[in-house]
Amino acid sequence: MADEFLHIENLVKSFNGNTVVKSVNLAFNKGEFVTLLGPSGCGKTTILRMVAGFERPTSGTILVEGKDISPLPPNQRKIGMVFQAYALFPNMNVEDNVGFGLKIGRVPRDEARARVEEMLKLIGLSGYGKRFPFEMSGGQQQRVALARALAPKPKMLLLDEPLSALDAKIRVSLREEIRAIQRELGITTMFVTHDQEEALSISDRIVVLNAGHVEQFGTPFEIYNRPTTRFAATFVGTLNTLAAKVIDPATKSVSIDGQIAIIPSLSSAARSGDAISLTLRPEAISLANGHARDIVLDGTVSEVAFLGAVIRLKVNLGENALHLDTFNDQHSPPPRYDEKVKITFGGSDILVLGD
Amino acid sequence: MKRSKLWAWIILILGALYFLLPLVATLLFSLSIRRGTYSLDAYTNVVQAPAFQQTFTFSLVVGVATIVVGLLIVVPAAYFVRLRAPQLRPIIEFVTLLPLIIPPIILVFGYIRMYNSSSLLPLTNTALGTNILLTLAYVALALPYMYRAVDTGLRTIDVQTLTEAANILGANTLTILVRVIFPNIIVAVLSGAFLTLAIVIGEFTIASLLNRPAFGVYMQNVGANRAFEPAALAVISFVITWIAMGMIQLLARFAPKTAPRTD
């Protein structure tokens, strides 16, 4: 690809015989914001640290603009990085922190001063130059850390869970700010997080990782709506799983808690009597208040969670329990606990997943 | 007052008397050189004696040299142990405790045996060589205090993340140590330095057996030959030690603040 920037090829990392990154292949485009998403221990931070140069790959190559950077130490890679714990130098004020990379790179003093000013303006902290890290809030410190990483004009930016140590409210505003700055500078960015909402909201593409390997690599829309593996589907968003039994493969009919439903996406290899799992997102299901879709099932409300704009219901269908989201309607109150309801969803909303 | 609180006060007062009474007695005795009145004559005699100035200066210079050499060894060692080889920490801690277990007299006989005039490295052949040996002996003696002070300082900062942050910004190991790590543990380093100085200023055994004109040796000589001046010297050395301890407390206020914030 012409604008390919970072190319990771067969990357493997083992610690004392324990392989934590298993032959990972990834390609980032120039200016792209890519998130490595996965649970603790999936290898996402290890991949980022190998790109930074803090960990040496057991095997495989990391190419930046076609050049193998694996043999280079971190201080020669021209990569900027923001850490979870801010990592501002406590003995230096904001100006000196932001200007640290420029000083090390022997940038002339006037030029460095101008660059520091430019960076502080970019993060909205002009006039904070003389403050020390301990005099600033966590959100401000992390913005300074971002300015410090960007000041030496790195080729690439690495963000290692930069929002994890912050309060929920600051997290949302700062992630939007980070994304806006990244767009403005057009810098290729690798972002590591275990927070799916964070990943879905700011990424151009997401790499879903599990146990050291890539489960899926795609846009947030693809990852959420067309997960290719069960792990990707269950890790990103909420997923309902319904136990069903095939009745007649020819008519694609199945039985869910004794209720018959036609599933258009039922595999042709299915045989009568097979136990199968049907999966679908909460927002794909609605209450059949006079507008039935392909499939309508009877159930009993077992939980009602009023979340403001959205109401999340749990509906039991015999052994099965389904979560469904409906928008709050001030003219019609939500069903009550233990109320009998009809739920409905489209046949095409059912996800067919590989394991 | 509660019974337990009363006992606490009694124990505290008894402890304070045990420590303070000899000091007060020494102070009063040092002021009693003239019959029937208090005077600072003993202090004047001590301070004006050329031997006092020479030995004090000598010990001060050796103390500063000990601090410099000690820091050059301890800071990088503690940093690398914390960063790269944390599994070695128990071993290093044990090694740094050895000078507390081995009496100085054993230490100095070992040094003399290893570095005497007929050895491969005859440091005791010259005054300079012996001074170097004395400094190195003091470095070993101060190791438990110096290492612990530096290690405590390193514990207050996130050594690994700060190192990585500086490293990815282009800094090499020496720059990281000098510009990032050292300034952030300076208060701990200085407290180690003042402790070292306090030890070196009053040390007698090693200096005496290496035949160096140190302050501790001078104090012993004066103590053997005079009555009031040794008391004055004891008070002076106490004051020096207290100043050193006070400096440690004062400097702790200027430690870089690293408390994490989430807001």
Side-chain angles (χ1 to χ4, degrees):
Chain A
M1 195 184 270
D3 59 353
E4 188 175 291
F5 181 82
L6 173 75
H7 194 96
I8 292 173
E9 224 171 72
N10 299 322
L11 196 65
V12 175
K13 178 67 189 175
S14 303
F15 292 104
N16 303 322
N18 177 27
T19 307
V20 294
V21 175
K22 297 165 186 165
S23 198
V24 164
N25 292 286
L26 294 169
F28 292 15
N29 296 330
K30 199 169 175 61
E32 212 177 10
F33 193 110
V34 178
T35 297
L36 305 190
L37 175 69
S40 297
C42 70
K44 56 190 188 298
T45 297
T46 308
I47 294 173
L48 178 128
R49 289 176 62 78
M50 282 192 278
V51 174
F54 298 135
E55 301 289 351
R56 195 173 278 273
T58 305
S59 64
T61 50
I62 301 168
L63 305 169
V64 171
E65 294 178 315
K67 278 185 207 150
D68 186 6
I69 61 163
S70 308
L72 295 177
N75 59 342
Q76 288 174 25
R77 293 194 178 195
K78 296 191 188 316
I79 286 175
M81 184 163 167
V82 177
F83 298 81
Q84 183 181 339
Y86 322 140
L88 294 180
F89 307 129
N91 58 313
M92 297 179 201
N93 62 22
V94 168
E95 263 176 20
D96 292 340
N97 262 289
V98 176
F100 184 84
L102 303 170
K103 208 174 207 175
I104 299 296
R106 298 213 169 92
V107 174
R109 194 172 287 184
D110 289 344
E111 201 182 310
R113 199 175 295 146
R115 180 74 179 153
V116 168
E117 269 308 306
E118 186 190 339
M119 285 296 106
L120 291 182
K121 203 173 160 194
L122 185 75
I123 57 163
L125 288 178
S126 297
Y128 283 69
K130 298 293 177 204
R131 290 207 188 179
F132 278 86
F134 74 89
E135 297 173 307
M136 308 180 87
S137 70
Q140 287 172 331
Q141 287 187 51
Q142 201 56 301
R143 274 144 76 193
V144 174
L146 179 66
R148 182 180 67 178
L150 293 170
K153 298 184 180 169
K155 288 180 178 174
M156 189 181 176
L157 182 63
L158 306 177
L159 305 169
D160 185 11
E161 306 213 30
L163 307 170
S164 303
L166 297 169
D167 288 347
K169 213 170 176 183
I170 305 287
R171 223 159 41 211
V172 173
S173 64
L174 190 55
R175 81 181 180 212
E176 286 164 3
E177 217 171 305
I178 288 175
R179 182 60 163 139
I181 290 169
Q182 185 271 338
R183 274 213 180 95
E184 190 179 328
L185 301 177
I187 186 168
T188 311
T189 302
M190 181 188 277
F191 180 81
V192 161
T193 185
H194 60 266
D195 185 327
Q196 37 151 319
E197 188 198 322
E198 216 164 83
L200 291 169
S201 64
I202 58 171
S203 316
D204 285 321
R205 286 196 291 167
I206 297 172
V207 182
V208 181
L209 288 155
N210 178 32
H213 70 268
V214 176
E215 290 275 345
Q216 195 173 352
F217 187 14
T219 63
F221 184 85
E222 288 166 348
I223 298 281
Y224 190 81
N225 294 308
R226 296 187 195 105
T228 53
T229 67
R230 179 171 295 275
F231 177 84
T234 49
F235 188 75
V236 182
T238 307
L239 194 72
N240 291 301
T241 305
L242 280 174
K245 193 173 267 183
V246 178
I247 295 173
D248 181 5
T251 58
K252 298 196 181 280
S253 58
V254 300
S255 162
I256 304 164
D257 183 38
Q259 303 179 61
I260 307 299
I262 306 297
I263 310 296
S265 54
L266 187 70
S267 164
S268 53
R271 288 174 302 179
S272 294
D274 278 359
I276 56 166
S277 295
L278 307 174
T279 55
L280 66 171
R281 298 283 186 202
E283 65 273 22
I285 313 166
S286 55
L287 293 169
N289 297 328
H291 57 278
R293 288 154 76 198
D294 301 347
I295 298 157
V296 181
L297 299 169
D298 291 310
T300 309
V301 175
S302 62
E303 249 177 59
V304 183
F306 187 81
L307 307 174
V310 173
I311 298 163
R312 175 156 288 191
L313 302 174
K314 190 175 173 188
V315 177
N316 287 353
L317 294 90
E319 295 292 301
N320 291 299
L322 279 177
H323 285 100
L324 66 103
D325 292 344
T326 68
F327 280 115
N328 175 33
D329 177 358
Q330 55 179 318
H331 304 296
S332 96
R336 291 183 309 276
Y337 172 76
D338 220 21
E339 191 177 326
K340 304 281 180 213
V341 291
K342 283 187 186 300
I343 58 163
T344 182
F345 49 88
S348 59
D349 291 328
I350 294 169
L351 302 169
V352 182
L353 301 171
D355 282 319
Chain B
M1 196 184 282
K2 275 186 186 174
R3 207 179 152 82
S4 60
K5 227 174 185 181
L6 181 74
W7 273 109
W9 276 106
I10 290 170
I11 291 167
L12 182 75
I13 290 165
L14 283 176
L17 285 176
Y18 180 76
F19 285 109
L20 289 176
L21 271 182
L23 276 181
V24 173
T26 308
L27 177 70
L28 292 178
F29 184 69
S30 73
L31 298 170
S32 313
I33 196 164
R34 290 189 195 189
R35 203 174 285 261
T37 178
Y38 289 130
S39 78
L40 292 170
D41 287 3
Y43 291 88
T44 317
N45 293 347
V46 163
V47 174
Q48 283 177 349
F52 170 85
Q53 290 159 15
Q54 283 160 10
T55 55
F56 190 76
T57 310
F58 178 85
S59 284
L60 203 63
V61 171
V62 172
V64 171
T66 304
I67 289 164
V68 172
V69 176
L71 286 180
L72 285 175
I73 296 168
V74 169
V75 174
Y79 171 70
F80 282 109
V81 166
R82 198 153 262 281
L83 192 68
R84 303 254 179 261
Q87 72 278 8
L88 287 181
R89 270 191 74 200
I91 298 165
I92 299 286
E93 287 203 359
F94 175 74
V95 170
T96 59
L97 276 177
L98 284 178
L100 288 181
I101 302 160
I102 303 167
I105 189 116
I106 306 287
L107 210 62
V108 73
F109 275 117
Y111 284 134
I112 291 168
R113 189 164 174 77
M114 284 299 293
Y115 304 109
N116 63 27
S117 51
S118 55
S119 71
L120 282 175
L121 189 60
L123 284 176
T124 55
N125 264 1
T126 61
L128 178 69
T130 316
N131 289 344
I132 291 170
L133 188 57
L134 181 69
T135 305
L136 294 176
Y138 284 164
V139 168
L141 214 58
L143 206 57
Y145 311 99
M146 190 73 99
Y147 181 82
R148 252 146 212 82
V150 171
D151 195 48
T152 305
L154 289 172
R155 218 175 285 178
T156 62
I157 58 172
D158 186 347
V159 174
Q160 187 177 348
T161 314
L162 288 180
T163 299
E164 288 178 353
N167 197 207
I168 200 125
L169 285 164
N172 58 28
T173 307
L174 185 64
T175 311
I176 294 168
L177 259 175
V178 173
R179 288 199 189 172
V180 178
I181 302 300
F182 196 78
N184 282 305
I185 59 165
I186 188 79
V187 173
V189 164
L190 284 173
S191 63
F194 283 123
L195 275 173
T196 304
L197 197 65
I199 293 164
V200 171
I201 290 287
E203 202 284 329
F204 168 75
T205 316
I206 297 174
S208 170
L209 286 165
L210 286 177
N211 195 26
R212 300 319 300 145
F215 189 58
V217 180
Y218 168 73
M219 280 203 292
Q220 193 275 334
N221 281 338
V222 172
N225 301 309
R226 302 279 189 93
F228 297 97
E229 282 80 356
L233 271 175
V235 172
I236 290 171
S237 68
F238 265 122
V239 169
I240 292 168
T241 310
W242 284 343
I243 289 173
M245 297 302 142
M247 291 298 285
I248 295 170
Q249 295 298 320
L250 191 72
L251 286 164
R253 295 183 186 187
F254 299 102
K257 294 172 183 70
T258 54
R261 291 175 63 167
T262 59
D263 52 339

